[in-house]
């Protein structure tokens, strides 16, 4: 046992040095993109569980079906990759529970015209197909929401929100707005809810295998990075701050979900932290995403989605990304944030 622990520590130190060397040489000689091609050489680890994990939506999982990636966390939560679950079993278990699943999205300013229609159209083809779904679109212009034909058992609700002066404030106010909605009609209509960014579109089945009491999404740009390089909030004055050595993974705020009760707790935590930061004249580096990562450090997610569930085409093709479920749209910040 002592030998194994020493070997693991040596491997961690070895890969830290390798990554540092690759990063420095890549930045100096070729620029950042080359590092992206080399980081796939960094091992993600292996599932530490001796037993086969399972949950209420997938039945028994097959974590060792994907030996090239990390398929569970140190606290026993599954990391869902293509090939580790049976989609037919997940579909049947969701049907048996007679669920209604909510999907929230904010489409404010030019984000509405640029992204919303494609988001909804592709959600109809891929998001929780065969389940009852209620979409909640938050926008300052309800009349401009496009008409998208919906399948049986699927509804769309539009909620008016105020247009914020800065795009950062739209992001920051999201948690407060979601908290209020989850305590109202959304919370009464849906049992589980996913909250997503609008500037992406579905490209593959996003089904009940993603459901759990609380769900976090591995960030596509950071899932291979060692913990000490992850972009957590490090300003100790911020409510979102994580000290060196804290943090498990870096999670993407473009996708998170869970039960209504769990999301009420998450959104309350993030909204409270943002209020505290504002009172101190602070703003976390990555806004609500920084507070989301602090929450999931304190309250571990019951399920983690692999980067296949929210992938950036800008990273390029990777063998481990077999079937992307969501794809980021090109980031045209000069246009949509003007």
């Amino acid at each position: 046992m002592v030998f194994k622990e020493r070997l693991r520590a040596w491997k961690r130190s070895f890969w830290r040095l390798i990554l540092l060397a690759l990063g420095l040489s890549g930045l100096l000689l070729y620029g950042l993109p080359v590092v992206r091609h080399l980081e796939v050489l960094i091992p993600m680890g292996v599932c530490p569980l001796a037993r086969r994990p399972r949950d209420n939506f997938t039945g028994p999982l097959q974590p060792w079906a994907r030996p090239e990636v990390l398929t569970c966390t140190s606290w026993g939560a599954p990391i869902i990759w293509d090939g580790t679950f049976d989609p037919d079993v997940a579909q049947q278990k969701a049907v048996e529970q007679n669920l209604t699943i909510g999907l929230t999205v904010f489409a404010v300013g030019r984000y509405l015209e640029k992204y919303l229609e494609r988001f909804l159209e592709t959600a109809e083809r891929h998001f929780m197909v065969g389940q009852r779904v209620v979409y909640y679109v938050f926008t300052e212009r309800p009349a401009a929401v496009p008409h998208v034909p919906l399948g049986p058992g699927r509804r769309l609700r539009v909620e008016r929100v105020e247009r914020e002066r800065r795009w950062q404030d739209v992001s920051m106010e999201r948690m407060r707005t979601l908290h209020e909605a989850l305590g109202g009609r959304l919370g009464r209509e849906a049992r589980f809810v996913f909250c997503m960014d609008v500037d992406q579109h579905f490209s593959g089945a996003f089904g009940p295998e993603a459901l759990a009491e609380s769900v976090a999404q591995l960030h596509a740009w950071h899932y291979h990075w060692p913990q000490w390089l992850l972009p957590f909030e490090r300003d100790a004055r911020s409510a979102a701050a994580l000290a060196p050595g804290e943090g498990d993974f870096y999670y993407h705020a473009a996708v998170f979900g869970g039960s209504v009760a769990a999301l009420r707790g998450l959104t309350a935590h993030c909204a409270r932290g943002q209020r505290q930061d504002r009172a101190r004249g602070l703003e976390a580096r990555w806004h609500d995403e920084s507070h989301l990562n602090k929450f999931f450090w304190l309250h571990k997610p019951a399920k983690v989605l692999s980067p296949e569930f929210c992938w950036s085409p800008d990273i390029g093709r990777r063998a481990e990304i077999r079937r992307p479920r969501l794809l980021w749209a090109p980031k045209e910040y000069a246009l949509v944030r003007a």
Side-chain angles (χ1 to χ4, degrees):
M1 181 63 71
V2 174
F3 174 77
K4 288 184 177 179
E5 289 298 323
R6 288 178 177 173
L7 182 60
R8 289 194 188 101
W10 180 87
K11 286 182 177 178
R12 285 195 296 268
S13 299
F14 173 78
W15 282 109
R16 285 183 181 182
L17 291 172
I18 291 295
L19 179 66
L20 182 61
L22 291 175
L24 291 175
S25 60
L27 287 171
L28 289 172
L29 299 177
Y30 305 105
L32 184 60
V34 71
V35 181
R36 290 290 162 196
H37 297 292
L38 296 172
E39 71 180 16
V40 297
L41 301 174
I42 304 170
M44 296 181 64
V46 295
C47 183
L49 296 181
R51 58 183 176 84
R52 180 184 301 179
R54 61 181 296 140
D55 66 30
N56 294 333
F57 298 99
T58 56
L61 292 164
Q62 302 288 338
W64 299 282
R66 296 292 304 272
E68 78 279 21
V69 293
L70 184 63
T71 54
C72 62
T73 69
S74 61
W75 59 93
I79 302 176
I80 305 299
W81 292 84
D82 186 63
T84 62
F85 63 93
D86 185 332
D88 294 331
V89 171
Q91 182 80 353
Q92 183 58 38
K93 286 187 173 293
V95 169
E96 290 171 359
Q97 295 182 56
N98 195 30
L99 301 175
T100 295
I101 302 158
L103 175 56
T104 72
V105 65
F106 284 70
V108 178
R110 295 179 182 176
Y111 280 82
L112 192 157
E113 291 88 356
K114 183 70 177 174
Y115 302 115
L116 181 60
E117 186 168 16
R118 190 179 189 191
F119 178 89
L120 292 173
E121 287 177 346
T122 58
E124 272 300 283
R125 294 198 294 270
H126 299 296
F127 181 75
M128 301 294 169
V129 175
Q131 309 297 326
R132 290 200 304 273
V133 170
V134 55
Y135 300 104
Y136 268 70
V137 175
F138 296 90
T139 180
E140 85 283 20
R141 291 178 291 142
V145 172
H147 174 72
V148 174
L150 303 178
R154 299 167 81 92
R155 304 187 302 277
L156 185 145
R157 309 233 186 257
V158 180
E159 298 287 333
R160 182 186 293 275
V161 295
E162 295 297 321
R163 175 74 184 271
E164 300 294 336
R165 183 174 58 86
R166 303 182 311 145
W167 69 264
Q168 294 95 331
D169 294 326
V170 174
S171 172
M172 300 281 271
E173 283 298 306
R174 177 171 67 154
M175 292 298 183
R176 180 188 61 80
T177 303
L178 286 172
H179 183 73
E180 292 175 356
L182 289 160
R185 182 168 62 173
L186 171 59
R188 295 190 297 271
E189 285 189 303
R191 183 173 164 192
F192 292 89
V193 176
F194 273 95
C195 309
M196 297 188 182
D197 284 355
V198 72
D199 54 346
Q200 52 191 344
H201 66 272
F202 291 87
S203 58
F206 197 113
E209 68 277 356
L211 294 171
E213 182 66 16
S214 61
V215 182
Q217 170 68 57
L218 288 182
H219 200 295
W221 287 88
H222 302 298
Y223 70 102
H224 263 290
W225 291 19
Q227 188 270 352
W228 58 283
L229 274 180
L230 296 175
F232 299 122
E233 178 60 46
R234 297 304 189 190
D235 186 342
R237 299 172 299 167
S238 172
L242 289 176
E246 293 184 339
D248 301 300
F249 305 98
Y250 190 77
Y251 302 113
H252 196 181
V255 177
F256 60 94
S259 71
V260 168
L263 286 178
R264 285 271 290 170
L266 183 156
T267 54
H269 170 96
C270 294
R272 183 170 57 251
Q274 290 165 337
R275 287 195 304 271
Q276 292 172 357
D277 279 5
R278 281 199 184 109
R280 298 166 182 160
L282 301 173
E283 194 169 276
R285 178 184 179 188
W286 295 112
H287 315 294
D288 60 343
E289 187 169 87
S290 297
H291 292 273
L292 178 89
N293 273 275
K294 176 64 172 285
F295 178 86
F296 280 134
W297 163 244
L298 297 172
H299 309 276
K300 310 299 189 192
K303 181 175 286 183
V304 177
L305 302 181
S306 74
E308 292 175 317
F309 283 82
C310 188
W311 183 248
S312 172
D314 289 344
I315 298 174
R317 294 181 59 84
R318 287 189 177 173
E320 63 204 18
I321 307 299
R322 294 181 179 178
R323 189 178 303 174
R325 269 66 170 171
L326 273 169
L327 292 174
W328 301 16
K331 302 300 182 184
E332 300 182 49
Y333 293 140
L335 172 64
V336 296
R337 293 179 176 175

